[in-house]
Amino acid sequence: MEKKDLDWGSLPFGYMPTDYSYVCNYKDGAWEEGGLTTDHSMTLSECAGIFHYCQEVFEGLKAYTTKDGSIVCFRPDMNATRMADSAKRLCMPAFPEDKFVEAVKEVVKANAAWVPPYGSGAALYIRPFMVATGIVIGVKPADEYQFRILVTPVGPYFKGGDTSIEVTIPDYDRAAPHGTGNIKAGLNYAMSLYPYEKAHEAGYSENMYLDSATRTYVEETGGANVILVDREGNLVVPRSATDSILPSITRRSLVTLASDVLGLNVIERPVKFQEIIDGNFVECGLCGTAAVISPVSRVAKEGFCDVTFEQSTDGCGPVLKKLRETLSGIQSCDIEGPEGWVVEILPAE
């Protein structure tokens, strides 16, 4: 199988149509068989539920080419479970988890030529999503839905990969206590777009959100979880008492690697932003499927704070660097990871 003729090392994190997508419809209380399609468009009624009551959930994962030429995917079962949880929260029918994993395999196999080659620093981004297609005008769940998977080759989410970024504290909230912050729904990201643009205008790459109830605890950014390293070398992972932080698969994988593989002490707890102001942390990173770990060198807001993470000023510090290298190595099969984490989609030819 010959790869597409692309400049793999210069790919942006953007959309490029590939050969196939996957589509499956829910109607009359059941999911149809589903399958591949070459049509990358959707035709919906103006009264479809997605347009009026925002019934939409999505996922993000990646496929990689390994050194021996195999194509693999990282923990798709976790994405299947999280998407089912997200759907239930928005009164949508959960897409069967085993069918989800098989659909991922099917669409990646069909687009094998688009999976970036080993060593390019790029990957095939996989975006499963589900929207309400049924007609609804009163406030209630729709009765028809469409599940799709699109794939596209991408480069690093933040330009430069391991290059440190600066973030700010927005005047806006990302998620309400006991709201939808712990599911992967488009409505959460829509709320983050305006403060994201304001952050860019001010010269920052992202926003670090505080809890909306008290605005004293660290939550996450618009598109990634926050992880920290304290002065004793502990990995500190912010937690929320009100289910307003997305359970990142990357974050959970990093926690397992830190404690079970690298022997680090991991502390998962609510983190007051005042601790950051007080200089208690030497490393900070944003973790997620798209970025893996992006180091944060500085968090600042005029009249409120200006903090530099001294070991994250020039890329990841020693702890986050080791974590990043270990997870990336497992994803590309250069390092053996926990059983079941890497799923082979196509063997080497």
Side-chain angles (χ1 to χ4, degrees):
M1 181 273 300
E2 187 175 346
K3 300 288 188 183
K4 297 291 183 179
D5 184 19
L6 299 175
D7 184 0
W8 300 106
S10 300
L11 288 176
F13 193 89
Y15 175 67
M16 180 185 300
T18 53
D19 295 331
Y20 296 95
S21 292
Y22 178 93
V23 61
C24 186
N25 291 298
Y26 179 91
K27 188 176 181 180
D28 298 326
W31 288 102
E32 66 178 21
E33 180 62 26
L36 298 175
T37 178
T38 57
D39 186 357
H40 303 303
S41 63
M42 299 176 66
T43 301
L44 301 177
S45 165
E46 63 184 356
C47 205
I50 175 59
F51 300 133
H52 303 278
Y53 304 119
C54 296
Q55 280 186 289
E56 186 271 353
V57 295
F58 71 99
E59 276 299 321
L61 60 160
K62 289 179 177 178
Y64 308 84
T65 301
T66 66
K67 194 172 186 178
D68 70 0
S70 302
I71 293 177
V72 301
C73 190
F74 185 71
R75 308 191 79 178
D77 57 317
M78 298 280 283
N79 294 93
T81 298
R82 187 171 65 179
M83 189 168 193
D85 291 341
S86 297
K88 291 171 186 174
R89 177 63 177 83
L90 296 188
C91 294
M92 303 170 74
F95 194 72
E97 295 181 34
D98 57 345
K99 192 177 179 75
F100 178 104
V101 174
E102 290 307 311
V104 167
K105 291 180 180 179
E106 185 176 357
V107 74
V108 173
K109 282 181 183 178
N111 291 287
W114 295 91
V115 182
Y118 174 81
S120 63
L124 186 74
Y125 187 73
I126 306 163
R127 170 57 62 85
F129 65 100
M130 188 195 334
V131 300
T133 55
I135 292 174
V136 57
I137 197 70
V139 182
K140 63 179 181 179
D143 58 5
E144 295 182 9
Y145 298 84
Q146 186 170 109
F147 171 86
R148 295 182 71 97
I149 304 177
L150 67 85
V151 298
T152 185
V154 297
Y157 187 73
F158 291 110
K159 191 174 181 179
D162 190 33
T163 303
S164 296
I165 62 173
E166 297 185 356
V167 302
T168 189
I169 304 297
D171 294 325
Y172 302 89
D173 296 325
R174 173 190 162 271
H178 308 294
T180 58
N182 65 335
I183 66 169
K184 202 164 180 67
L187 56 90
N188 294 334
Y189 295 82
M191 292 172 62
S192 73
L193 294 179
Y194 181 75
Y196 180 75
E197 291 299 309
K198 298 296 286 185
H200 272 221
E201 289 172 10
Y204 298 99
S205 296
E206 252 291 9
N207 288 298
M208 181 182 289
Y209 287 92
L210 305 182
D211 74 292
S212 60
T214 68
R215 295 190 65 79
T216 57
Y217 290 96
V218 177
E219 293 222 318
E220 59 177 287
T221 67
N225 280 183
V226 176
I227 52 176
L228 301 150
V229 178
D230 66 19
R231 294 191 174 276
E232 288 70 47
N234 302 307
L235 181 69
V236 180
V237 181
R239 293 185 63 180
S240 168
T242 60
D243 293 330
S244 52
I245 297 178
L246 183 73
S248 163
I249 293 163
T250 302
R251 186 202 74 207
R252 286 179 281 172
S253 300
L254 290 169
V255 165
T256 299
L257 292 178
S259 60
D260 298 353
V261 176
L262 301 180
L264 298 174
N265 187 37
V266 179
I267 304 170
E268 297 188 70
R269 63 171 177 82
V271 175
K272 287 189 174 182
F273 189 74
Q274 185 62 45
E275 298 177 59
I276 290 179
I277 294 175
D278 292 342
N280 294 356
F281 302 103
V282 294
E283 294 184 57
C284 178
L286 309 183
C287 65
T289 299
V292 185
I293 298 178
S294 290
V296 176
S297 60
R298 176 173 171 254
V299 55
K301 178 178 174 62
E302 186 175 353
F304 179 57
C305 67
D306 192 339
V307 179
T308 297
F309 298 99
E310 57 198 63
Q311 293 183 11
S312 294
T313 56
D314 188 22
C316 287
V319 174
L320 297 188
K321 182 179 181 65
K322 186 63 176 175
L323 276 171
R324 191 177 197 268
E325 290 175 346
T326 302
L327 182 57
S328 296
I330 290 171
Q331 290 171 334
S332 61
C333 294
D334 291 333
I335 299 173
E336 185 175 354
E339 185 177 355
W341 277 24
V342 174
V343 174
E344 185 178 81
I345 293 177
L346 274 177
E349 295 181 348

